[in-house]
Amino acid sequence: MTVIAAALTMNNGVVIVGDSELSNSFTRDSDGYSKIWEHEEEGYIFGGAGRLRELQIIKHHVEWPYYRDIYPPEEFVVKEVVPRMRDALIDNGIKMDDYESSFIMAWDDILVVIDEDFGVTVPLSARYAIGSGQSEALGFLGNEGGWTKEDVIEAARRATVTAVGVGGPLYIVDSIDMVVQQADLIV
């Protein structure tokens, strides 16, 4: 269970905030595992919701392609990113019939969602959330822009209060600074 909230902000590019709780049927651990990361070489930031092993494979095994703006973002992700994600998962023992993770990927002022069926969405509202805290985060953000970094943090924080399996310290990264840090330390 997770919340990953993201929005194109006025001053920080795309901001992604996620909780750090790991849970299964019998336990939960709020030791601070970040579900947020960056790939500075290509300029991407990510947030993932789903099985830990799937997130780790995507984070550590995918060879990320360079975005060339000759393609619209959706086409680029469908043609270049998703096949590399699938190959990395299969090469590292994940059976696609059991796969159930979702991701938010962003660069510059572009936000893209890759669902568990590898469907790709570029939200027109420039905000999105995934995981069991999705409704709480989206409810706080609403559909109108003008968001701040603090708004995205608050959207994720609210999900830690009401969504099952969402908790632990919040982590944040933005598409300008590209530094993953604990949100509690910067607000």
Side-chain angles (χ1 to χ4, degrees), residues 22 40 60 69 72 75 109 128 143 152 157 161 179-180:
L22 299 176
E40 194 167 355
H60 297 292
D69 60 5
E75 183 178 354
D109 63 351
Y128 208 78
N143 290 325
V152 185
R157 188 200 65 76
V161 174
V179 175
V180 176

Side-chain angles (χ1 to χ4, degrees), residues 57-181:
I57 289 170
I58 298 298
K59 182 177 180 179
H60 297 292
H61 287 282
V62 174
E63 296 292 328
W64 299 106
Y66 176 73
Y67 175 67
R68 300 172 315 277
D69 60 5
I70 59 173
Y71 296 113
E74 177 186 324
E75 183 178 354
F76 167 71
V77 174
V78 168
K79 289 182 174 180
E80 301 286 335
V81 173
V82 167
R84 292 172 190 234
M85 291 173 68
R86 289 179 57 87
D87 289 348
L89 290 161
I90 291 166
D91 290 349
N92 288 280
I94 301 298
K95 296 178 180 155
M96 290 293 97
D97 291 343
D98 298 331
Y99 178 77
E100 62 177 40
S101 295
S102 298
F103 295 87
I104 293 178
M105 175 181 183
W107 64 95
D108 300 327
D109 63 351
I110 298 167
L111 184 146
V112 178
V113 180
I114 305 168
D115 286 325
E116 62 187 37
D117 66 355
F118 294 102
V120 175
T121 305
V122 180
L124 295 176
S125 62
R127 63 87 177 105
Y128 208 78
I130 57 176
S132 60
Q134 178 183 34
S135 296
E136 290 86 346
L138 289 176
F140 178 78
L141 289 172
N143 290 325
E144 300 299 318
W147 297 289
T148 65
K149 173 175 54 176
E150 291 76 16
D151 290 334
V152 185
I153 293 169
E154 181 62 16
R157 188 200 65 76
R158 288 185 182 213
T160 68
V161 174
T162 57
V164 174
V166 178
L170 297 175
Y171 285 83
I172 183 171
V173 66
D174 68 61
S175 62
I176 294 177
D177 295 335
M178 298 190 66
V179 175
V180 176
Q181 52 190 321

